[in-house]
Amino acid sequence: LAKTTQPISMDSYEGQEVNITCSHNNIATNDYITWYQQFPSQGPRFIIQGYKTKVTNEVASLFIPADRKSSTLSLPRVSLSDTAVYYCLVGESSGSARQLTFGSGTQLTVLP
Amino acid sequence: GAVVSQHPSWVICKSGTSVKIECRSLDFQATTMFWYRQFPKQSLMLMATSNEGSKATYEQGVEKDKFLINHASLTLSTLTVTSAHPEDSSFYICSANAGVSGSAYNEQFFGPGTRLTVL
């Protein structure tokens, strides 16, 4: 499974855009990139998943360069409730169940 | 989206007793579920893969006789911590995959977790 590297922590202020970058130099051809959010004492929650270029949904955008060796999760106009740990995962997404390997994640703290 | 529930949400037990944690997929069937453990300020660590109708697959270093997994149906997997000790105190999280076979999209849904405290 591809290893990922993320910043341990980030601080931001309410209303700002936050970009969290994840490095995954050993990403394989069949690997997808998925981001999860976790609040204390809760299970992780799916945010977004992508394979290449850009993916956008109602809560975030995911930017993936052509070489796919990194990806950036973009959270527009964060609020205090976005304070959480964000995990970047890479792995094959074949439609069948697969185990996930979590890295250390990024603790995002949104300040008032 | 798909919902995964866990019961109980928290449990306190005495050292030496056994505790059972249930994981249910509420609106979809899951032939495979996963069990994770998370210590404070740490990331999730995969413990085992639970397969309906067959034996679970345990990760290296996880004692299969201590952490008993039973995947009784397509919507229920249970994790039993046998002879629990204080070092087993942790946050236990299950997940299930709700991807569509043959689809490139594959989303895994997590339960809310169970906080186990062993006194």
Side-chain angles (χ1 to χ4, degrees):
Chain A
L1 296 172
K3 179 181 172 60
T4 61
T5 302
Q6 304 173 232
I8 293 176
S9 63
M10 293 181 69
D11 290 344
S12 181
Y13 290 96
E14 279 190 291
Q16 290 188 333
E17 177 185 83
V18 171
N19 296 308
I20 306 175
T21 297
C22 177
S23 296
H24 28 79
N25 292 319
N26 297 325
I27 189 169
T29 303
N30 293 333
D31 285 345
Y32 279 69
I33 301 157
T34 311
W35 286 80
Y36 284 84
Q37 175 192 54
Q38 186 182 27
F39 296 111
S41 296
Q42 294 187 26
R45 184 176 72 97
F46 174 91
I47 300 174
I48 197 166
Q49 183 182 76
Y51 183 81
K52 62 180 180 180
T53 61
K54 177 183 175 182
V55 179
T56 297
N57 60 23
E58 61 275 11
V59 298
S61 294
L62 179 60
F63 298 93
I64 305 169
D67 65 5
R68 304 199 328 120
K69 293 184 182 299
S70 67
S71 60
T72 299
L73 173 72
S74 181
L75 305 173
R77 301 177 62 81
V78 294
S79 63
L80 296 177
S81 61
D82 292 318
T83 294
V85 178
Y86 292 82
Y87 294 97
C88 161
L89 292 89
V90 296
E92 186 170 343
S93 182
S94 63
S96 59
R98 62 184 178 93
Q99 62 190 49
L100 299 178
T101 299
F102 284 80
S104 58
T106 298
Q107 170 66 59
L108 171 65
T109 302
V110 180
L111 305 169
Chain B
V3 178
V4 175
S5 70
Q6 282 184 241
H7 177 80
S9 55
W10 60 270
V11 57
I12 301 174
C13 70
K14 293 182 178 180
S15 184
T17 60
S18 295
V19 175
K20 180 185 286 187
I21 302 170
E22 293 185 349
C23 176
R24 294 181 184 273
S25 56
L26 297 185
D27 48 3
F28 66 100
Q29 294 183 332
T31 56
T32 303
M33 293 183 175
F34 304 98
W35 286 96
Y36 295 83
R37 179 167 54 182
Q38 186 175 34
F39 293 108
K41 302 293 185 183
Q42 294 187 23
S43 184
L44 283 78
M45 289 173 27
L46 180 67
M47 298 176 66
T49 301
S50 171
N51 304 298
E52 189 270 336
S54 64
K55 292 182 179 180
T57 304
Y58 291 82
E59 294 300 298
Q60 190 173 10
V62 178
E63 301 175 57
K64 62 180 181 180
D65 294 330
K66 180 171 183 61
F67 299 98
L68 302 179
I69 292 174
N70 182 17
H71 201 138
S73 72
L74 288 172
T75 59
L76 173 63
S77 174
T78 60
L79 168 68
T80 301
V81 183
T82 63
S83 186
H85 292 284
E87 57 265 31
D88 299 321
S89 298
S90 187
F91 192 53
Y92 292 86
I93 308 170
C94 70
S95 71
N97 181 275
V100 177
S101 178
S103 169
Y105 183 69
N106 190 314
E107 182 176 340
Q108 198 160 123
F109 293 89
F110 288 81
T114 297
R115 174 75 59 191
L116 170 63
T117 301
V118 184
L119 303 177

